[in-house]
Amino acid sequence: MIRDLKRKLYGSTRLLGIFISYRSATFKMTRILTACKVVKTLKGRLEFCNVSADHRSFSRTGTRLLSIKAQTANLVLQDGTKMKGYSFGYPSSTAGEVIFNTGLSGYTEALTDPSYKGQILTLANPIVGNGGVPDTAALDEMGLRRFLESDGIKVSGLLVLDYSNEYSHWQAAKSLGEWLKEEQVPALYGIDTRMLSKLIRDKGTVLGKIEFEGQPVEFADPNKQNLIAEVSTKEVKVYGRGNPIKIVAVDCGLKHNVIRLLVKFMWMFVPFLMCRTVYGMS
């Protein structure tokens, strides 16, 4: 009986030791992967400073540490709130109304939504960019941008909590950071987007600006601008030519997917529209 008890105790101790070793190895691996992610994320969008003899330092293992300087900027709200972030877009100051979007996916569509013109978009999703960006020049059978809601990015700036420079998606053609730089749209990560979303929800309209060092900019209210003139078509366009059902759409910032639905499935909506007219539905 004592022998069986010793055997069980030994087995339990051994399992406990294996569990502790596993937890320790997992913790170490997590730290290694986190460090690798930071280095990969910083690569390509950070400025590596020259390491002089006076700034060299060595760890216990003799590994030389490099001095890394990330390009930073500040998010400044009209009420005085100030947050520091790290740039992964175009390094230029901008101003506008700060808003938030709680969608878990579809940042490509959100960034090109004409209704966000003149606004700094906050994405509440904790991590953004891991899906990359599809071919932004691809067109569908109607001549509309296949993966976008307009002809390009409409937001004035982008704010996220964590940005993934490494992306993986079968339709991805480039990273989100590369696209933002092409469109000259500033973006910051490292922003407490949850706190910012709550602040916007409680206060309503919040003006803000993304300000880089040496690039001061004044607050701007997009509601005082003629935004419709900036996002609407300048000429009459016809889609679905030959369709027996004729629909007139007044463009005040019409998304491409709305046009697709009107052309492809309008026959489904006509009876519903007629009922609304006949019975006075609201």
Side-chain angles (χ1 to χ4, degrees):
M1 181 176 178
I2 296 177
R3 184 178 299 176
D4 293 338
L5 183 61
K6 288 183 177 179
R7 188 182 297 112
K8 291 180 181 180
L9 181 61
Y10 173 76
S12 301
T13 305
R14 186 177 180 184
L15 288 176
L16 180 60
I18 294 174
F19 176 74
I20 294 174
S21 300
Y22 172 76
R23 288 292 300 273
S24 178
T26 303
F27 177 71
K28 291 179 180 178
M29 182 59 66
T30 301
R31 294 186 64 182
I32 293 172
L33 291 176
T34 302
C36 290
K37 179 187 174 184
V38 169
V39 173
K40 288 183 179 180
T41 303
L42 293 175
K43 185 179 179 182
R45 56 188 170 85
L46 297 182
E47 179 184 357
F48 284 80
C49 301
N50 295 327
V51 182
S52 62
D54 296 334
H55 292 84
R56 291 180 182 177
S57 60
F58 295 83
S59 65
R60 293 182 180 180
T61 58
T63 304
R64 186 173 66 184
L65 301 179
L66 297 179
S67 174
I68 301 178
K69 182 181 179 181
Q71 187 171 21
T72 60
N74 291 316
L75 169 67
V76 184
L77 303 183
Q78 197 175 30
D79 64 358
T81 303
K82 189 175 183 179
M83 305 181 194
K84 180 180 178 180
Y86 300 90
S87 172
F88 68 95
Y90 190 72
S92 178
S93 298
T94 188
E97 180 185 357
V98 183
I99 60 170
F100 69 93
N101 183 299
T102 58
L104 297 180
S105 62
Y107 53 81
T108 304
E109 292 82 358
L111 290 172
T112 56
D113 189 337
S115 66
Y116 287 151
K117 180 68 176 178
Q119 298 176 319
I120 299 175
L121 178 61
T122 302
L123 295 179
N125 188 25
I127 184 169
V128 177
N130 52 336
V133 175
D135 183 4
T136 55
L139 303 177
D140 61 11
E141 65 276 6
M142 299 181 193
L144 302 171
R145 299 292 178 96
R146 182 180 298 275
F147 303 110
L148 311 182
E149 292 294 351
S150 62
D151 57 356
I153 298 178
K154 298 303 180 186
V155 301
S156 297
L158 178 64
L159 305 170
V160 302
L161 174 61
D162 187 18
Y163 166 66
S164 174
N165 194 48
E166 299 292 326
Y167 59 89
S168 178
H169 192 279
W170 68 279
Q171 289 182 324
K174 51 191 166 186
S175 71
L176 175 58
E178 291 172 338
W179 186 35
L180 290 166
K181 291 173 184 176
E182 291 176 5
E183 299 273 347
Q184 298 187 357
V185 177
L188 300 180
Y189 76 95
I191 302 295
D192 188 348
T193 54
R194 182 178 180 181
M195 185 273 287
L196 184 57
S197 298
K198 291 174 66 176
L199 189 150
I200 298 171
R201 181 196 62 190
D202 294 338
K203 292 194 173 183
T205 302
V206 177
L207 298 184
K209 56 184 178 179
I210 297 175
E211 203 166 51
F212 287 82
E213 185 178 358
Q215 301 180 30
V217 65
E218 298 296 326
F219 291 104
D221 187 355
N223 296 313
K224 297 180 180 180
Q225 305 171 19
N226 187 2
L227 298 177
I228 294 180
E230 298 182 29
V231 299
S232 59
T233 181
K234 303 299 184 292
E235 58 185 9
V236 177
K237 296 182 180 180
V238 179
Y239 298 97
R241 193 180 296 276
N243 195 324
I245 301 174
K246 310 299 181 184
I247 298 296
V248 176
V250 180
D251 183 14
C252 295
L254 199 62
K255 294 193 289 187
H256 283 179
N257 202 44
V258 174
I259 299 175
R260 294 189 190 97
L261 292 175
L262 288 175
V263 172
K264 294 181 178 180
F265 305 107
M266 194 57 217
W267 59 272
M268 298 174 61
F269 301 116
V270 170
F272 175 70
L273 294 176
M274 292 177 64
C275 288
R276 287 171 61 97
T277 303
V278 172
Y279 295 105
M281 298 172 61
S282 58

